[in-house]
């Protein structure tokens, strides 16, 4: 049913999460994803605000909660993501027909050859995240990506390890290219080919 709606209906996503947390007192240097565990009421309140404003989708507070980024941190990516899902489910009680999007941002390292991150590392990282919660989400959202090669690895991991629809956003500079040089037509052709 959601796939049909994505093809014909105007559906509204929520807005920024980090900016909302900053408004509510999150200090510079704090890790937003920790709020899922340490301040769940704040996260649920943000979801509620967006739902009351008319959002059809709430995105989990998991933008930076990937296995590589949280490797040496206080909480594991599993703890952070599972807490985020729990918060989203709790928030959704006020609007049961809303959808939950698993929010995945860039891994946080440059890919080869510009950096050291490999295609397989991205694939495995996304696979672990998606497999952890695929029964509890409605879509996978890759947000503000800059590297089309990273996007390919991430989309393949999501596609091959769940049956959820996939949505991708990329962020472009004033020259209409991403930080790594991908232009808009290349993004559209690539993502269309991947069934996004």
């Amino acid at each position: 049913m959601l796939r049909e709606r994505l093809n014909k209906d105007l559906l509204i996503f929520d807005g920024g999460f980090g900016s909302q947390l900053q408004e509510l007192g999150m200090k510079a240097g704090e890790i937003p994803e920790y709020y899922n565990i340490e301040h769940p009421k704040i996260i649920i309140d943000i979801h509620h605000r967006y739902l009351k404003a008319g959002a059809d989708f709430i995105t989990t507070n998991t933008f930076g909660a990937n296995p590589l980024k949280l490797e040496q941190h206080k909480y594991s990516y599993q703890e952070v993501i599972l807490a985020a899902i729990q918060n989203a489910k709790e928030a959704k009680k006020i609007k049961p027909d809303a959808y939950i999007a698993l929010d995945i941002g860039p891994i946080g390292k440059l890919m080869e050859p510009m950096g050291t991150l490999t295609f397989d590392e991205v694939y495995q990282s996304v696979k672990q995240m998606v497999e952890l919660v695929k029964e509890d989400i409605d879509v996978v959202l890759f947000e503000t990506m800059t590297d089309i090669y990273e996007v390919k690895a991430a989309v393949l991991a999501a596609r091959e390890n769940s049956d959820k629809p996939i949505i991708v956003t990329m962020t472009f500079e004033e020259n209409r290219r991403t930080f790594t040089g991908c232009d808009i037509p290349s993004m559209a052709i690539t993502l269309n080919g991947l069934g996004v």
Side-chain angles (χ1 to χ4, degrees):
M1 171 146 162
L2 174 58
R3 279 186 194 278
E4 289 170 21
R5 292 198 68 197
L6 286 170
N7 285 324
K8 64 184 176 71
D9 293 345
L10 176 65
L11 297 171
I12 300 170
F13 267 79
D14 57 8
F17 226 97
S19 55
Q20 291 295 309
L21 285 170
Q22 286 167 354
E23 261 185 42
L24 294 169
M26 184 180 76
K27 296 177 179 66
E30 281 191 275
I31 296 173
E33 293 80 8
Y34 282 7
Y35 272 64
N36 294 326
I37 296 166
E38 296 175 356
H39 306 287
K41 286 184 177 160
I42 292 175
I43 300 302
I44 293 165
D45 180 56
I46 293 170
H47 286 318
H48 280 167
R49 290 183 191 191
Y50 281 125
L51 290 171
K52 287 173 184 172
D56 298 298
F57 283 91
I58 48 175
T59 55
T60 55
N61 180 35
T62 53
F63 181 81
N66 67 66
L68 297 174
K69 216 180 241 184
L70 293 183
E71 209 169 23
Q72 305 295 325
H73 280 255
K74 181 166 147 183
Y75 301 112
S76 69
Y77 78 93
Q78 293 101 323
E79 291 172 302
V80 167
I81 292 174
L82 289 172
I85 292 291
Q86 208 47 51
N87 294 335
K89 283 179 163 179
E90 182 61 34
K92 207 179 110 153
K93 287 178 181 175
I94 69 163
K95 189 176 179 181
D97 61 343
Y99 301 105
I100 296 174
L102 174 64
D103 190 24
I104 302 176
I107 296 292
K109 298 178 181 178
L110 286 174
M111 290 196 70
E112 296 176 330
M114 290 170 32
T116 58
L117 187 65
T118 67
F119 190 92
D120 191 55
E121 283 176 314
V122 175
Y123 183 98
Q124 292 302 326
S125 180
V126 172
K127 176 185 176 184
Q128 290 169 46
M129 296 166 71
V130 169
E131 283 188 332
L132 183 66
V133 295
K134 63 184 175 184
E135 303 306 322
D136 299 305
I137 61 171
D138 299 296
V139 300
V140 178
L141 170 66
F142 295 105
E143 189 184 359
T144 66
M145 306 298 283
T146 59
D147 190 332
I148 197 68
Y149 191 49
E150 181 178 353
V151 168
K152 281 186 195 175
V155 168
L156 287 173
R159 169 95 47 247
E160 292 172 3
N161 295 285
S162 85
D163 61 353
K164 304 302 179 186
I166 298 165
I167 296 172
V168 176
T169 69
M170 296 190 78
T171 190
F172 293 86
E173 308 292 326
E174 283 184 25
N175 66 1
R176 298 186 179 195
R177 290 185 177 272
T178 68
F179 168 71
T180 58
C182 177
D183 64 14
I184 294 168
S186 299
M187 176 196 97
I189 290 165
T190 302
L191 297 182
N192 192 48
L194 289 167
V196 171

